[in-house]
């Protein structure tokens, strides 16, 4: 899965999500993995997935999405982690 969208570019590794959108149904992903991929593709402008699909994410994938949203927003002040 990780190698599907990543290629070597002039400045390092580059993700080509456009090519991944056509491969997503042949990757053998379970429902949680597919929801995560759909959300990632939606964040980069490929496809449309509702935010409600975060319900399908597990404890490992949800923080990844939260950190990605914060990074896209340019916010370095909010920490993502477990509550005590």
């Amino acid at each position: 899965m990780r190698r599907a969208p990543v290629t070597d570019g002039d400045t390092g590794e580059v993700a080509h999500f456009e090519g991944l959108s056509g491969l997503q149904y042949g990757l053998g992903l379970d429902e949680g993995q597919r929801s995560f991929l759909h959300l990632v593709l939606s964040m980069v402008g490929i496809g449309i997935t509702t935010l409600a699909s975060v319900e399908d994410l597990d404890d490992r994938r949800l923080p990844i999405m939260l950190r990605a949203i914060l990074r896209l927003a340019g916010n370095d002040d909010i920490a993502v982690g477990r509550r005590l």
Side-chain angles (χ1 to χ4, degrees):
M1 166 58 201
R2 186 175 292 190
R3 286 183 282 256
V6 177
T7 59
D8 289 325
D10 295 337
T11 59
E13 292 182 333
V14 178
H16 293 284
F17 292 104
E18 300 85 7
L20 182 59
S21 65
L23 300 172
Q24 60 185 318
Y25 294 102
L27 295 172
L29 305 176
D30 63 30
E31 186 174 336
Q33 293 168 327
R34 199 170 21 262
S35 292
F36 180 76
L37 179 57
H38 288 171
L39 280 166
V40 169
L41 291 174
S42 290
M43 288 177 72
V44 297
I46 300 170
I48 299 172
T49 302
T50 65
L51 193 54
S53 62
V54 297
E55 292 177 338
D56 297 328
L57 300 181
D58 59 17
D59 290 345
R60 192 176 116 252
R61 292 183 185 102
L62 182 58
I64 293 169
M65 291 304 300
L66 293 172
R67 287 185 195 102
I69 291 169
L70 291 171
R71 182 167 289 184
L72 286 171
N75 189 321
D76 295 329
D77 297 334
I78 298 175
V80 175
R82 293 198 177 271
R83 292 182 187 177
L84 297 177

